[in-house]
Amino acid sequence: AQSVTQLDSHVSVSEGTPVLLRCNYSSSYSPSLFWYVQHPNKGLQLLLKYTSAATLVKGINGFEAEFKKSETSFHLTKPSAHMSDAAEYFCVVFTYNNNDMRFGAGTRLTVKP
Amino acid sequence: ETGVTQSPTHLIKTRGQQVTLRCSSQSGHNTVSWYQQALGQGPQFIFQYYREEENGRGNFPPRFSGLQFPNYSSELNVNALELDDSALYLCASSLPPRKNEQFFGPGTRLTVL
């Protein structure tokens, strides 16, 4: 079965420092992986997606993620955090057999001034 | 281009009642998926509709049902409401072949008393 595990429920960084949000996946075949962001009282917004093309995926707002098959990981990074990055982040795997998007439990990112 | 819209934004019901939530897909998108997001958790897939037929279902009981209309809008119906049904209900639309690239609405907050 397809699943994702977000290794940190909460990450706190200072503004201007790097961000690392960790995600491991489980899949019986080549997965489609995504990162979504959810700001308070707002809908989910797609940050980036991996669908078996380049292993380093660039997304919006300076975020990127690297697909590492040997480590079954898809960690999200950003070189320099901004206050507006504070939100909940979800790692997601898509399962083609029933069109199911499997979300991780989420990582809350706090950015300190 | 109009994004995904959902109505109502908030709803309060009592245990045992029935509820209908509505979703209008993004312009041109013919596939609609519904998710339940309990407080502090990631969204869970309920089901997907494509061309007015159910096209995949998650682990939800039959009292969760849906419809899709010829204009691609959709309804989620929940019968015999339980307290645990209190959650944010999210709708997402997509357009095959990119059915895994889903665009989310802001959600409907359902409270069951």
Side-chain angles (χ1 to χ4, degrees):
Chain A
Q2 314 268 75
S3 66
V4 290
T5 302
Q6 293 184 243
L7 301 174
D8 307 292
S9 59
H10 186 209
V11 170
S12 181
V13 300
S14 296
E15 190 175 21
T17 64
V19 175
L20 170 63
L21 306 183
R22 299 182 296 163
C23 173
N24 285 352
Y25 70 90
S26 172
S27 174
S28 52
Y29 48 84
S30 184
S32 288
L33 294 163
F34 305 80
W35 277 97
Y36 279 84
V37 61
Q38 188 175 37
H39 291 274
N41 301 315
K42 296 244 178 114
L44 287 156
Q45 182 183 20
L46 177 66
L47 278 177
L48 50 80
K49 63 177 180 178
Y50 167 78
T51 53
S52 75
T55 56
L56 183 61
V57 182
K58 293 190 183 299
I60 62 171
N61 300 335
F63 284 95
E64 61 182 38
E66 186 171 8
F67 174 74
K68 292 187 176 180
K69 186 176 180 179
S70 60
E71 299 176 11
T72 62
S73 68
F74 190 58
H75 301 336
L76 181 71
T77 61
K78 181 172 181 178
S80 176
H82 192 274
M83 295 297 290
S84 61
D85 295 328
E88 189 86 19
Y89 291 79
F90 293 98
C91 182
V92 185
V93 62
F94 181 78
T95 58
Y96 284 90
N97 61 339
N98 71 339
N99 300 312
D100 179 355
M101 297 279 275
R102 297 267 173 94
F103 283 74
T107 297
R108 178 162 298 279
L109 176 65
T110 300
V111 182
K112 298 175 289 186
Chain B
E1 184 179 84
T2 306
V4 179
T5 60
Q6 294 186 242
S7 63
T9 54
H10 294 85
L11 202 51
I12 299 175
K13 292 285 188 178
T14 56
R15 196 170 45 181
Q17 285 188 312
Q18 178 265 342
V19 69
T20 297
L21 310 182
R22 295 177 175 82
C23 170
S24 291
S25 62
Q26 184 161 313
S27 179
H29 286 190
N30 58 10
T31 303
V32 173
S33 304
W34 286 92
Y35 296 82
Q36 180 195 68
Q37 186 177 17
L39 200 61
Q41 297 181 24
Q44 285 195 297
F45 175 67
I46 302 174
F47 44 56
Q48 182 182 89
Y49 275 82
Y50 171 64
R51 292 186 174 178
E52 302 178 53
E53 296 208 356
E54 191 176 287
N55 188 41
R57 190 179 182 96
N59 190 26
F60 280 80
R63 60 189 185 85
F64 285 78
S65 64
L67 283 174
Q68 187 180 30
F69 301 98
N71 67 353
Y72 307 135
S73 66
S74 177
E75 288 182 353
L76 164 65
N77 299 290
V78 187
N79 293 323
L81 284 166
E82 301 176 359
L83 297 180
D84 285 349
D85 296 333
S86 295
L88 181 67
Y89 288 84
L90 296 164
C91 167
S93 72
S94 56
L95 180 63
R98 292 185 174 181
K99 59 181 179 178
N100 58 8
E101 191 167 323
Q102 300 190 1
F103 295 84
F104 284 81
T108 294
R109 173 76 61 188
L110 172 65
T111 301
V112 183
L113 302 176

